[in-house]
Amino acid sequence: MADETLAAEMAQRVEELGYEMVELEQAGSRARPILRLSIDRPDSKPGEPAVSLDDCSRVSRALEPWLDQREGLSDRYVIEVSSPGVERPLTKPRDWDRFAGAEVSVKTRVPIEGRGKKVQGTLVGLRDGERVALQVDGDEVEIPLGEIERGNLVFRWERGQKR
């Protein structure tokens, strides 16, 4: 779990650069912290390339001077900036509306409607800001946002698609 203050400040700086922070993971040690930052474009769509290596480099270079001056962060930190990938995590409430129509996988804290803790289906969207609606095997399933441990887009290779 990342330091919430650091995460909020990084998210703001990433947004000022024209991207959105998907996730921040803190790893390593206090003496040599590793900051793994996943970024995306605010208008990205499932299955479309969104973030390039140049984008990741740009964000990394822009954050380094700020991180160099950050109180309480070892000067031996490592920052790794990457794309969220084709199976992008859904980390913010707005993601559940933004990617409506896409196939998603959801892991919950408790079993949902006799389906277990892992549910996969087509994302309908976020209802009343608190329940994620999915189409699963012809049924609509609603999952309280607070019960979701992790959610992500599902990518399927299509026949004939280059790998």
Side-chain angles (χ1 to χ4, degrees):
M1 182 79 173
D3 170 339
E4 296 302 320
T5 303
L6 175 64
E9 290 174 5
M10 281 189 111
Q12 179 182 346
R13 290 174 184 283
V14 168
E15 190 174 302
E16 289 168 1
L17 295 167
Y19 303 91
E20 73 172 314
M21 185 173 83
V22 177
E23 288 184 304
L24 172 63
E25 176 191 354
Q26 271 188 271
S29 65
R30 189 166 181 82
R32 183 117 171 116
I34 300 170
L35 305 172
R36 292 188 179 113
L37 177 63
S38 174
I39 62 168
D40 200 358
R41 291 194 180 277
D43 59 350
S44 70
K45 305 226 181 326
E48 293 180 4
V51 178
S52 69
L53 184 57
D54 287 340
D55 293 322
C56 294
S57 295
R58 178 176 175 244
V59 169
S60 179
R61 281 192 304 270
L63 290 175
E64 285 171 355
W66 171 71
L67 289 168
D68 289 346
Q69 301 301 314
R70 184 159 173 86
E71 193 75 26
L73 181 65
S74 168
D75 60 353
R76 297 185 60 220
Y77 74 87
V78 174
I79 184 168
E80 299 172 357
V81 181
S82 68
S83 160
V86 292
E87 293 205 333
R88 180 197 196 281
L90 305 173
T91 58
K92 299 172 187 76
R94 70 175 181 249
D95 292 343
W96 299 101
D97 277 329
R98 173 178 167 188
F99 294 105
E103 188 174 354
V104 298
S105 177
V106 177
K107 183 178 179 195
T108 60
R109 291 178 174 82
V110 296
I112 300 296
E113 297 180 23
R115 297 179 183 273
K117 290 185 176 183
K118 191 161 185 182
V119 181
Q120 194 165 313
T122 303
L123 179 58
V124 176
L126 187 62
R127 300 259 165 85
D128 301 323
E130 55 191 47
R131 294 180 319 283
V132 172
L134 302 175
Q135 277 291 339
V136 181
D137 302 325
D139 296 326
E140 187 166 296
V141 175
E142 288 191 3
I143 305 169
L145 197 55
E147 292 297 324
I148 296 175
E149 190 172 306
R150 185 153 182 89
N152 61 277
L153 299 177
V154 173
F155 181 78
R156 300 221 184 267
W157 286 99
E158 293 181 22
R159 195 171 185 97
Q161 187 174 12
K162 290 185 177 182
R163 291 186 188 204

